[in-house]
Amino acid sequence: MIDRKAIRRQARKHLKRHYVLLVLLCAVSIFLGTEFKGVVSNAQSWYDVLTGQVTEMDVEGVREERGVMGRIVDDLVEDNLEAARDDVAARMQALRDETDPTSVLGRSRGVLAAVMNNINSGHIYVQLGTALHSIVHSQQIAAILMILGSALLQALVWVFLKNVYRAIMRRAFLETRTYKTFPMSHLLHLKHVHRWTRASLSLLLASVYETLWDLTIVGGIIKHYSYFMVPFIVAENPDIRPRQAITLSRRMMNGHKWECFLLELSFIGWMILGFVTFGAVDVLWTVPYRMAAYTEYYAALRREAREKALPDSELLNDDNLFAPADAGALRERYAELARHREVIDEDIVALPPVQRFFARNFGIWTGSMEEKIVYSRQEGLRQQTRVGMRELAGEAYPERLNALWTRESEALSRRVTYLTPCTVWSLIVVFFAFCLVGWVWEVSLHLISDGEFVNRGALHGPWLPIYGGGVVMIAVLLYRLRRKPALEALAVVVLCGLVEYFTSYFMELSRGMRWWDYTGYFLNLNGRICGEGLAVFAVGGMAAIYLLVPVIDAMVMRIRPKVLIPVCIALLVCFAGDLVYSHYVPNTGAGITDYGEAPVEAMEETESL
């Protein structure tokens, strides 16, 4: 018999060591609807009761509950597509009218507003139904194809994302049970070992079997516990065949089903507390606590299976998940990494203090080009070495010791070009390149939407400084975050949002006019910034920093200084002249500083197309 108190005690220690990470992992599972669906349904039930939204279900109510797509499919089956179009048009207009244009959630302008309106009104489904009808010349067949297509899409998402997340989450729980840190890249372990599809099929087969057994009621309860360990087995060894995983789980749970039921039942008090707190306690404690306990339970049953030499128990072969790897094995497999360990503390290129400060903190290079090449290669090697140091030190799970690992040849072979510092001349070229790209982008958008050329921006030249300046600021001020892409992306959104907001504010304060206005856009703040604008800045900023800026810098390095320097100075002189001239004669007019109803009408015409 397994000691439930010991399991729960170890689970609490595990949860406290990695609390934030484990709560987030379980929250994603709840959000995806993979497991613990009762958390959301219980919270929704309480909300409906307290707000008085529990009503009798009539026929029309059932129809409403089926959603927009369900109603449109009904219209297709009834050969009434025109009614669907009229219904959608009314819904589209209602969505535009129901929100205040000055609201943060405005829906009258912008790409996000159009997407939200198209989905919520059902316009996208009507368009799909119309397209299918034009192909098959039958509204009934079009409705069937829509149903089948929707079902296929949902099935693929469930099989290859939602269901497989059960193994991904358990893998993370297993690693954090033993190791001090958990690199977020390990969430893609199944992809790294090229076993995502096999893991998906193993979990799919177990789900199909359990669903079929559920038809027998009693058999469903029994098989729930028989297959309880399948996600853990797949998490440990995703190379195992689907039937082997199911059979091995049955053997491991033989004689332990009642015990597992009692383990689940021991959380009943926490479940009740979660119910009366609208699911808050479930999310913040009970669900991750239960998962940590189930992880301990799996470790105990795995140990027992290995001791009893159950058939196929040798497939539970990832011993490094349950105990830190042998130091000798780590040194042998990470030998290449160990040879390069000194690059973290020693500099091949000895830089003066000031030059080193700017290179490491702001990515600005002030030395010779020959030294820059050597320094850039060293920084790339330094970053790749850091990634494996925690694994070599036994602080994180050593992926290179996994039997399925095949990427050691790539470990230290790739250059990390995004860490290359830029010269001042490269930054000047980057500034003007993105000023021009931004200008072309906005002029093109206005040309497409309004059908006329407008010289966008407050200046008269073909440049928009907010784009070039934004990229340069990201490259310089956020250089220290470049080794952490997720944090860099968040910082890009914050920085660009602040710059755009206060630039708009001070330009309006000093000139009494706005050069952009996002009023009516979805997720806007006082019309100065909006959600889709920040999304564009985030995607564009990340692409610029990790892809385009290194390419531009490499191209600039090939240009002779006697050509590069005069060109950069000439551009700066022209830009400075435009700044002075535009201060007294700003670029204003239709499509630049006036924001009436025309843009809204243009958007409505675009949506109607």
Side-chain angles (χ1 to χ4, degrees):
M1 294 293 290
I2 305 297
D3 187 347
R4 290 194 301 275
K5 289 185 178 180
I7 283 179
R8 293 182 59 167
R9 184 168 57 252
Q10 291 299 322
R12 287 193 294 272
K13 291 180 180 179
H14 177 192
L15 180 55
K16 290 175 181 178
R17 286 197 308 269
H18 301 277
Y19 178 75
V20 175
L21 173 64
L22 300 185
V23 168
L24 288 176
L25 289 171
C26 292
V28 170
S29 180
I30 294 171
F31 173 78
L32 291 176
T34 303
E35 295 179 279
F36 313 110
K37 300 175 184 177
V39 174
V40 176
S41 60
N42 289 341
Q44 184 62 47
S45 299
W46 271 103
Y47 177 81
D48 290 342
V49 170
L50 293 177
T51 57
Q53 294 187 22
V54 178
T55 59
E56 295 182 1
M57 294 293 294
D58 54 13
V59 175
E60 186 62 28
V62 173
R63 177 178 166 86
E64 289 295 323
E65 285 296 317
R66 293 187 59 206
V68 175
M69 184 175 176
R71 295 193 299 274
I72 292 171
V73 168
D74 288 343
D75 289 329
L76 282 171
V77 172
E78 296 168 5
D79 198 14
N80 199 12
L81 191 57
E82 288 301 322
R85 290 196 184 99
D86 293 341
D87 181 46
V88 163
R91 288 176 178 276
M92 182 79 79
Q93 188 59 48
L95 286 169
R96 292 196 190 99
D97 295 342
E98 71 182 7
T99 55
D100 183 352
T102 61
S103 168
V104 171
L105 301 178
R107 288 191 181 183
S108 59
R109 300 171 59 202
V111 177
L112 280 180
V115 171
M116 294 290 293
N117 292 343
N118 274 306
I119 293 176
N120 290 347
S121 69
H123 181 260
I124 188 172
Y125 303 125
V126 169
Q127 293 292 88
L128 178 60
T130 302
L132 290 173
H133 176 254
S134 67
I135 295 173
V136 300
H137 304 291
S138 170
Q139 292 190 13
Q140 286 75 18
I141 295 177
I144 293 172
L145 291 177
M146 285 184 65
I147 294 171
L148 292 177
S150 176
L152 178 61
L153 178 61
Q154 292 182 45
L156 291 175
V157 171
W158 184 82
V159 171
F160 293 104
L161 176 60
K162 290 185 177 182
N163 202 34
V164 80
Y165 185 77
R166 297 163 65 200
I168 294 172
M169 180 172 65
R170 282 161 174 79
R171 177 85 192 184
F173 270 81
L174 286 169
E175 289 193 23
T176 53
R177 174 182 177 272
T178 304
Y179 294 95
K180 182 179 177 180
T181 62
F182 179 79
M184 297 306 290
S185 62
H186 286 196
L187 289 173
L188 297 177
H189 173 76
L190 296 178
K191 177 179 179 295
H192 293 165
V193 298
H194 309 292
R195 295 298 186 276
W196 193 287
T197 300
R198 176 167 288 191
S200 302
L201 295 178
S202 296
L203 294 169
L204 171 62
L205 185 62
S207 298
V208 170
Y209 280 3
E210 190 169 341
T211 300
L212 293 176
W213 278 107
D214 283 341
L215 300 177
T216 65
I217 303 177
V218 175
I221 297 173
I222 295 174
K223 292 303 178 181
H224 166 72
Y225 294 104
S226 293
Y227 304 153
F228 198 84
M229 294 301 167
V230 171
F232 283 104
I233 294 171
V234 173
E236 179 178 354
N237 183 7
D239 194 45
I240 192 171
R241 292 196 299 272
R243 288 183 181 275
Q244 283 182 312
I246 293 171
T247 302
L248 183 55
S249 176
R250 285 174 39 233
R251 289 168 178 160
M252 293 174 66
M253 292 298 295
N254 188 28
H256 292 285
K257 298 182 186 67
W258 178 252
E259 181 180 74
C260 187
F261 168 74
L262 293 178
L263 177 61
E264 285 191 309
L265 191 63
S266 66
F267 292 97
I268 188 66
W270 286 108
M271 293 178 188
I272 294 173
L273 186 58
F275 180 76
V276 300
T277 56
F278 306 95
V281 171
D282 282 326
V283 174
L284 297 176
W285 181 258
T286 308
V287 170
Y289 182 19
R290 287 168 61 188
M291 277 305 309
Y294 299 154
T295 303
E296 294 295 330
Y297 190 54
Y298 171 72
L301 292 190
R302 176 188 183 274
R303 184 169 54 252
E304 180 183 281
R306 295 278 294 269
E307 291 173 353
K308 292 182 177 180
L310 293 180
D312 289 336
S313 61
E314 70 277 3
L315 296 175
L316 305 176
N317 54 9
D318 198 349
D319 294 333
N320 295 319
L321 276 176
F322 302 90
D326 177 70
L330 285 171
R331 285 194 298 270
E332 180 181 351
R333 199 61 184 270
Y334 287 79
E336 185 181 1
L337 181 67
R339 287 197 300 270
H340 293 87
R341 186 171 183 172
E342 66 274 7
V343 303
I344 291 183
D345 302 315
E346 298 181 7
D347 292 324
I348 299 174
V349 178
L351 301 177
V354 175
Q355 188 174 327
R356 185 189 306 115
F357 174 79
F358 281 100
R360 290 194 172 177
N361 293 285
F362 301 104
I364 300 176
W365 185 259
T366 57
S368 68
M369 292 300 100
E370 292 77 11
E371 289 180 326
K372 181 177 183 291
I373 294 173
V374 178
Y375 178 85
S376 299
R377 290 177 178 173
Q378 176 185 308
E379 284 300 301
L381 186 60
R382 193 193 302 265
Q383 170 63 9
Q384 293 180 71
T385 302
R386 278 197 191 96
V387 171
M389 285 301 297
R390 288 184 175 179
E391 296 179 10
L392 176 60
E395 296 179 0
Y397 172 80
E399 282 203 318
R400 295 193 197 184
L401 293 183
N402 188 282
L404 302 175
W405 181 260
T406 59
R407 301 197 310 165
E408 58 264 33
S409 60
E410 305 175 14
L412 293 174
S413 61
R414 293 172 295 177
R415 294 180 61 191
V416 187
T417 56
Y418 59 82
L419 293 176
T420 302
C422 295
T423 65
V424 173
W425 306 112
S426 292
L427 291 175
I428 292 174
V429 173
V430 166
F431 172 78
F432 283 106
F434 282 95
C435 282
L436 178 61
V437 168
W439 181 82
V440 171
W441 168 260
E442 295 213 7
V443 167
S444 300
L445 285 180
H446 200 279
L447 186 63
I448 292 171
S449 62
D450 290 354
E452 60 179 343
F453 174 85
V454 174
N455 182 22
R456 299 282 292 167
L459 305 181
H460 293 272
W463 37 48
L464 289 178
I466 194 167
Y467 286 87
V471 171
V472 171
M473 280 193 298
I474 293 171
V476 173
L477 298 182
L478 304 182
Y479 180 78
R480 290 295 294 257
L481 302 178
R482 207 167 295 180
R483 295 179 176 86
K484 302 176 181 178
L487 190 57
E488 173 94 359
L490 178 62
V492 166
V493 171
V494 173
L495 178 62
C496 291
L498 290 173
V499 170
E500 187 176 26
Y501 186 92
F502 286 105
T503 299
S504 170
Y505 177 80
F506 287 116
M507 288 178 71
E508 184 178 2
L509 189 66
S510 61
R511 309 299 300 182
M513 293 178 287
R514 283 194 180 191
W515 273 264
W516 61 85
D517 189 352
Y518 297 121
T519 299
Y521 281 67
F522 188 64
L523 297 178
N524 80 88
L525 183 60
N526 299 330
R528 303 187 189 280
I529 57 176
C530 68
E532 66 191 70
L534 294 180
V536 170
F537 277 129
V539 174
M542 295 294 283
I545 294 304
Y546 288 96
L547 297 175
L548 300 179
V549 170
V551 171
I552 294 174
D553 179 62
M555 294 173 61
V556 170
M557 286 181 63
R558 297 191 185 100
I559 303 175
R560 290 180 298 175
K562 60 175 61 178
V563 175
L564 174 64
I565 295 175
V567 169
C568 289
I569 292 176
L571 286 172
L572 289 172
V573 170
C574 292
F575 182 75
D578 195 352
L579 280 176
V580 174
Y581 178 73
S582 299
H583 177 74
Y584 297 100
V585 186
N587 183 31
T588 60
I592 303 173
T593 56
D594 61 328
Y595 289 91
E597 295 299 322
V600 178
E601 294 171 359
M603 177 56 69
E604 291 175 350
E605 292 175 4
T606 302
E607 291 172 352
S608 67
L609 294 177

